[in-house]
Amino acid sequence: MGEMKETKKCACKGGNLDRFIQPIILLIVYNEADTGYGIFKKMADFSMFRKDRPDVTGVYRYLKIMEQRGLLEQFESREGDNKYKMKYRITRSGMECLENWEHTLTEYADAILELVDCMKRKEL
């Protein structure tokens, strides 16, 4: 019996949206520091993740990488009587990265709109 291979969703059906995890995380913690799980839950508010939520393990992996790159930092937050939680907040480098994402995604959005218009007309 042959092995069943897991197939990735084709990019033409939104299969590569995981690359937008970084700017979404930066935007979430820009507005308010949060725990890793809190960040994961807030990601569901973005339309690109309403059908297929990101993998929680993948989100934590991104958080760790982003912290290693100096985009985020963890700190201990008091949450009541002797309850502490580790939260993430954006750093100065993270804010610069978020601004870069804004410019890059704006350029992509313009190019994508142009491409979609050409596709609708079926001409260049």
Side-chain angles (χ1 to χ4, degrees):
M1 201 181 301
E3 290 182 35
M4 298 217 26
K5 291 185 178 180
E6 185 177 321
T7 58
K8 285 188 154 194
K9 187 190 272 186
C10 178
C12 70
K13 294 182 180 179
N16 290 326
L17 293 178
D18 63 332
R19 66 183 66 190
F20 294 112
I21 289 176
Q22 182 177 342
I24 290 172
I25 290 172
L26 289 170
L27 183 59
I28 289 169
V29 297
Y30 173 82
N31 285 289
E32 180 181 9
D34 207 342
T35 63
Y37 185 69
I39 292 167
F40 171 75
K41 284 177 42 177
K42 288 176 183 171
M43 291 177 82
D45 293 339
F46 290 85
S47 60
M48 66 182 63
F49 294 119
R50 288 207 178 108
K51 288 182 184 176
D52 293 317
R53 290 180 71 165
D55 175 56
V56 70
T57 304
V59 172
Y60 278 101
R61 188 175 325 117
Y62 266 92
L63 290 169
K64 183 176 181 175
I65 290 168
M66 291 170 71
E67 186 178 15
Q68 290 171 346
R69 292 182 180 163
L71 304 175
L72 302 176
E73 62 186 9
Q74 282 194 73
F75 68 99
E76 196 170 60
S77 174
R78 187 169 184 186
E79 299 288 319
D81 296 337
N82 298 322
K83 291 184 181 180
Y84 293 89
K85 290 187 176 185
M86 293 304 292
K87 289 188 174 183
Y88 291 91
R89 66 179 158 220
I90 196 167
T91 63
R92 184 179 309 267
S93 293
M95 285 189 239
E96 291 172 12
C97 185
L98 182 59
E99 288 177 21
N100 291 337
W101 269 111
E102 181 181 351
H103 295 297
T104 299
L105 291 175
T106 299
E107 289 177 5
Y108 282 170
D110 292 343
I112 289 168
L113 289 174
E114 178 186 3
L115 176 60
V116 168
D117 184 54
C118 290
M119 293 173 111
K120 285 181 179 179
R121 292 183 285 117
K122 303 291 189 262
E123 60 184 55
L124 296 175

